[in-house]
Each structure stands twice: as C-alpha cells, then as structure tokens.
Amino acid sequence: MVRLSKRVEYGLIAIRHIATQRNEGIVTAKEIADCYQIPYELLAKVLQKLSRAGLITSHQGVRGGYALARNPNTISVSMIINAIEGSNMGIARCMTEGPESCDVFSVCTIKSPLSKVQANIIQAFDTMTLAQIV
Amino acid sequence: MVRLSKRVEYGLIAIRHIATQRNEGIVTAKEIADCYQIPYELLAKVLQKLSRAGLITSHQGVRGGYALARNPNTISVSMIINAIEGSNMGIARCMTEGPESCDVFSVCTIKSPLSKVQANIIQAFDTMTLAQIV
DNA sequence: CTAACTCCGACCTGATGAGTCTTATTTACA
DNA sequence: TGTAAATAAGACTCATCAGGTCGGAGTTAG
C-alpha cells in the first residue's frame, strides 16, 4: 500500500487548524482533539514532534498551547511528514536508507523505474504548502 | 510513510523477470527466488496472487512454472500492486474504503487537498506499464 | 505558595507484514 | 505406474510499528 499513517493525517489536520487561528492564537491539544474527535494523547505526541521540528511553538502552563512558528508559505507538506515520520519518506527502503538496507540491492531491477515515480510523489508533497490547504 | 510493501517489491521484480523471458519462456518460482535472493515461499504466494489476477499464467507439475499472460504494454504497475495488495491503494483509508472507514470524515479538513496528491500518485503508477520497466 | 493547567516522555498493546513450515494437488517422464 | 518436480494453500511464528495509556515535570494565574 501507499498510505499515510494516522499520525501524519492527524498532524496535517492539527497544523492546519492551528494555522487558521488568527492573531497569534494559541490552541491547546485538547481543543483540537475535541474538535476533530482525535485521541488526545496520540495527537499530543504528534504535536510534540511538530514542535521539536520547529514548525510550531509550544507554551506550557495555564493558557498554554501551540501556535504556528512561521509563515504558512514556508511550511510544506513534506516538512510536516518528515517531522512526524523521521525523514524516511520513500516508496522503497533502499531509497532513503542506503544500499545496506536492502539485501537485493545489487541484483534489483526495479530501482530506477521506481525512483522516477518516487520523485514524482515527493515533488507533489514538496510543492504543496500549508498556506494552500488552509 | 508512503512505502511499498516487500510483497509488491518482490512482485515487481518477479514479473519483470518473467517478462524478459523470450518466446513463451516458463520460469519457476525457485529460479526467481535464487536469482534475486528472495525468500521462496513468500515469493510463491505473491506469484499465486498475480496468477489469480490473470497477469501471469501458472503451469503445475514437472517443467511447470509461470509465464506472462498478456502483452507487457497492457500491464500497468497499478494492476500489479492491486493484484498483490487487494485494490485498496490510496494515501488515506477514507479514499478507498468510503466515509465509514474514517471517524473524522465529516470534520476532516484535509481530504480535498490530499485527494489531489493521491490522484497524482495513482496516475503515475497507472501510466507506467510493465513494458517500460523491462 | 499553591493548585490548576498544559506539555513531556517513557511504557504497553494489538494489528499487520515478513518469513517459515507443512501438506495437498497436479504433471512429466522414466 | 511410480516418482520426482512443480504449484496451491493453509496455519504458524516472529518482528515491527501504529495506536493508545500512563504518571510526571514544567509553568503560570490567582
């Protein structure tokens, strides 16, 4: 299958929600979870990853929450996926983790055709910015 | 992640190998497994699926094996993936299994932007035929 | 100071994919 | 006709990972 994980789906929904808050609006994880019926704790972990990647900022304590860290135009969907999944986006393991990751690398006959498809996919995620999905 | 399964990788390698055999050449599963260092039993199961989908033909008994069932130009990569994975290709579950499969369907805000990316991906797999990767 | 609020990070669990094993069925050929 | 060669098909184990849970640490209002 060629499928996004739940974490990525939740991350996209969440960061989009944060981006739609005007004038430095801070949103709590609970608020987002309630709004979209997303499991709170799972969403929290996703938000933490987005925070560590510098896409959103976190504020602890009462009246804390999350806010967008930069302009929606400078955040691509790839960045969001990489932040959550760990930058190993690729349709085959050998394309992100090197030849050692695949024991048929030397005799594999489908690398080059597949790499074209992959380039296609990555470009699509790469050119789509957060601003476009708000 | 957006990754193909091992089964699909093996299936692509195998059907490509079969397609390169000239003049009705029949290839055994063992032959392919040896050639590419693929686990035999796993490969056998993949070949059975391709056979049931009508992409290759199987011949039992001594001197049996597999052969391509039709012209490589008429076999797309999507067909191969669907034969192996069961035609649920899509980057989100709700896009192949209907609204019931997703409990945030009604409030989900990322369906429409993602569906464009997905259309892009599917088209790439759809227009790439076996003939092109031989 | 303290209590409420919020993020943080380690832990647990169940589903799914990868791979193995065993047995049945079909077929060519000696 | 018997045997070896090949696919067919199911159950099984193991590893990985997505999904979900827990208690705790940090921060701020009052």
Side-chain angles (χ1 to χ4, degrees), chain A residues 13, chain B residues 94-95 104-116:
Chain A
I13 292 176
Chain B
C94 64
M95 295 187 186
V104 299
F105 193 86
S106 59
V107 288
C108 178
T109 50
I110 58 171
K111 277 193 304 289
S112 83
L114 283 187
S115 69
K116 289 173 199 161

Side-chain angles (χ1 to χ4, degrees), chain A residues 5-7 39 41-42 45 60-62:
Chain A
S5 68
K6 281 283 178 193
R7 288 204 296 271
E41 292 85 359
L42 186 54
K45 234 185 326 190
Q60 286 195 334
V62 180

Side-chain angles (χ1 to χ4, degrees), chain A residues 11-13 15-17 19-20 55 68 70-81 121-134, chain B residues 109-110 112-114 116-117:
Chain A
L12 287 169
I13 292 176
I15 202 171
R16 183 196 170 279
H17 183 93
T20 57
L55 301 181
L68 214 57
R70 24 174 169 146
N71 192 297
N73 282 303
T74 68
I75 298 179
S76 69
V77 173
S78 322
M79 288 178 195
I80 299 169
I81 296 177
I121 294 175
I122 289 185
Q123 206 215 345
F125 283 126
D126 219 55
T127 55
M128 174 172 278
T129 69
L130 181 54
Q132 288 172 36
I133 69 176
V134 168
Chain B
T109 50
I110 58 171
S112 83
L114 283 187
K116 289 173 199 161
V117 179

Side-chain angles (χ1 to χ4, degrees), chain B residues 70-129:
Chain B
R70 24 173 169 146
N71 191 297
N73 282 303
T74 68
I75 299 179
S76 68
V77 173
S78 322
M79 288 178 195
I80 299 169
I81 295 177
N82 286 339
I84 297 172
E85 299 282 2
S87 76
N88 48 358
M89 185 162 57
I91 60 178
R93 198 158 308 210
C94 64
M95 295 187 186
T96 51
E97 298 172 21
E100 321 79 52
S101 63
C102 178
D103 23 69
V104 299
F105 193 86
S106 59
V107 288
C108 178
T109 50
I110 58 171
K111 277 193 304 289
S112 83
L114 283 187
S115 69
K116 289 173 199 161
V117 179
Q118 169 168 319
N120 217 313
I121 295 174
I122 291 185
Q123 206 215 345
F125 284 125
D126 219 56
T127 56
M128 173 173 277
T129 68

Side-chain angles (χ1 to χ4, degrees), chain A:
Chain A
M1 311 187 190
V2 186
R3 180 160 294 172
L4 296 175
S5 68
K6 281 283 178 193
R7 288 204 296 271
V8 168
E9 286 184 31
Y10 294 159
L12 287 169
I13 292 176
I15 202 171
R16 183 196 170 279
H17 183 93
I18 295 172
T20 57
Q21 304 293 317
R22 281 300 93 198
N23 52 23
E24 300 299 330
I26 285 188
V27 198
T28 68
K30 187 169 187 331
E31 210 173 314
I32 300 176
D34 284 348
C35 182
Y36 300 99
Q37 318 286 356
I38 298 174
Y40 169 73
E41 292 85 359
L42 186 54
L43 174 65
K45 234 185 326 190
V46 171
L47 289 171
Q48 286 165 31
K49 293 206 173 191
L50 293 177
S51 167
R52 261 173 292 180
L55 301 181
I56 60 180
T57 58
S58 69
H59 304 276
Q60 286 195 334
V62 180
R63 298 196 168 265
Y66 295 95
L68 214 57
R70 24 174 169 146
N71 192 297
N73 282 303
T74 68
I75 298 179
S76 69
V77 173
S78 322
M79 288 178 195
I80 299 169
I81 296 177
N82 285 339
I84 296 171
E85 300 282 3
S87 77
N88 49 357
M89 183 162 59
I91 60 178
R93 199 158 306 212
C94 64
M95 296 186 185
T96 51
E97 298 172 20
E100 322 80 52
S101 64
C102 178
D103 24 68
V104 298
F105 193 85
S106 58
V107 288
C108 178
T109 50
I110 58 172
K111 277 192 304 290
S112 84
L114 285 186
S115 68
K116 289 174 198 160
V117 178
Q118 170 169 319
N120 217 313
I121 294 175
I122 289 185
Q123 206 215 345
F125 283 126
D126 219 55
T127 55
M128 174 172 278
T129 69
L130 181 54
Q132 288 172 36
I133 69 176
V134 168

Side-chain angles (χ1 to χ4, degrees), chain B residues 14 17-18 27-37 43 47:
Chain B
H17 183 94
I18 295 172
V27 198
T28 69
K30 187 169 187 328
E31 210 173 315
I32 300 176
D34 284 347
C35 182
Y36 300 100
Q37 317 286 356
L43 174 65
L47 289 170

